[in-house]
Amino acid sequence: MKQIETVVHEMCRYIEEHASTPLTLHAIAKKSGYSASHLQRRFTMIIGSSPKTYQSAIRNQRLKQSLKHQESLGSAIYGAGFGSSSRVYEKLSTTLGMTPKQYRNGGSGLTIYYAMSRTRLGWMLLAAAERGICFLQFAEDKDALAKELRAEFPNAELSGMPRTQNKLFSAWMRQLNDYLDGKLKTLDLPLDIRGTAFQKLVWDYLQTIPAGETRSYTDVAVAIGKPAAVRAVASACASNTIAIAIPCHRVIRGNGDLAN
């Protein structure tokens, strides 16, 4: 029998090829030659998500690509393998941080609140939509941070932190500052993560790297079941807009140098 790591990677390809088809864990396990419980456990350990979550991520990625090409909502939804538009609006408003229509329109109609604070790393800009933090970056120039936020969400309505959210934002800011000062070892923040299926695989894995440890781009690529995608891993790290909470700083080049 093949090694389980090889089988898991083969099942990733199988899920990708049949992403629009309803797949049960039992059917995938039968294809793999392993029991459902064993496959589920090892798949999650190696890839960082269950087979069901992996398939959902692939569908989400295809839907995003279709929406970016301005396909009709109906065609994009059914073409990605979703059974009904209502299920998409229920689930994707969470994974996209907005409805499919808002995503296709570049965030139009979405309100994002933001605030800035001085930290040991310079100015920090923290922005959040209704489901959590969607942008967290550092710079010495406040204006540069504001421009970066606008570039990331060109069609959203950006607004300064409202008084009603002052306590919540202050708590997030305080937790981040305590983390940067070494008073906290982990962060517990609600994140509103947007990205392709591949980017989310990378970012989810990064959040499992223990504080004080590092991984190379190659290590990450192997861990998520994409050993040939080293450059794509580097690109995903560079595309991360939620610094610290998604710890791209724990990924280094193969020669030991820090990544940009």
Side-chain angles (χ1 to χ4, degrees), residues 38-219:
H38 185 65
L39 178 67
Q40 172 94 338
R41 183 170 62 256
R42 295 307 300 272
F43 193 105
T44 301
M45 181 184 300
I46 294 169
I47 303 302
S49 65
S50 68
K52 181 178 180 180
T53 300
Y54 187 81
Q55 184 181 27
S56 294
I58 297 300
R59 287 180 173 179
N60 292 348
Q61 180 185 39
R62 292 180 181 176
L63 176 62
K64 285 183 173 184
Q65 292 173 340
S66 296
L67 291 175
K68 284 182 177 179
H69 287 87
Q70 296 296 307
E71 288 188 24
S72 69
L73 291 179
S75 296
I77 288 170
Y78 290 106
F82 292 97
S84 69
S85 59
S86 61
R87 289 188 63 193
V88 173
Y89 274 80
E90 290 171 2
K91 295 185 177 181
L92 288 194
S93 60
T94 298
T95 59
L96 294 177
M98 57 187 84
T99 67
K101 185 174 182 179
Q102 285 175 322
Y103 186 82
R104 186 180 63 175
N105 295 334
S108 178
L110 183 70
T111 299
I112 296 175
Y113 297 104
Y114 68 93
M116 293 191 191
S117 176
R118 190 72 183 176
T119 73
R120 60 184 298 184
L121 297 181
W123 285 101
M124 172 176 66
L125 190 154
L126 185 155
E130 63 182 67
R131 293 177 178 84
I133 297 169
C134 59
F135 185 92
L136 175 60
Q137 293 292 309
F138 298 83
E140 289 299 326
D141 187 343
K142 293 174 66 175
D143 291 336
L145 279 175
K147 289 179 180 178
E148 193 174 342
L149 177 64
R150 170 53 67 190
E152 183 67 23
F153 303 101
N155 297 322
E157 179 183 348
L158 303 181
S159 178
M161 176 183 63
R163 289 186 177 182
T164 55
Q165 299 297 321
N166 185 55
K167 289 184 178 180
L168 180 60
F169 270 76
S170 295
W172 290 346
M173 293 283 196
R174 185 165 54 253
Q175 184 178 162
L176 284 162
N177 275 301
D178 286 347
Y179 181 81
L180 293 174
D181 290 338
K183 298 176 182 178
L184 291 176
K185 292 186 177 181
T186 60
L187 290 170
D188 182 17
L189 298 169
L191 303 182
D192 187 351
I193 300 173
R194 297 177 175 81
T196 65
F198 181 83
Q199 288 172 331
K200 292 189 71 175
L201 280 175
V202 172
W203 297 339
D204 286 346
Y205 175 76
L206 296 187
Q207 293 177 77
T208 70
I209 301 174
E213 295 186 16
T214 59
R215 301 288 188 274
S216 69
Y217 290 136
T218 300
D219 292 335

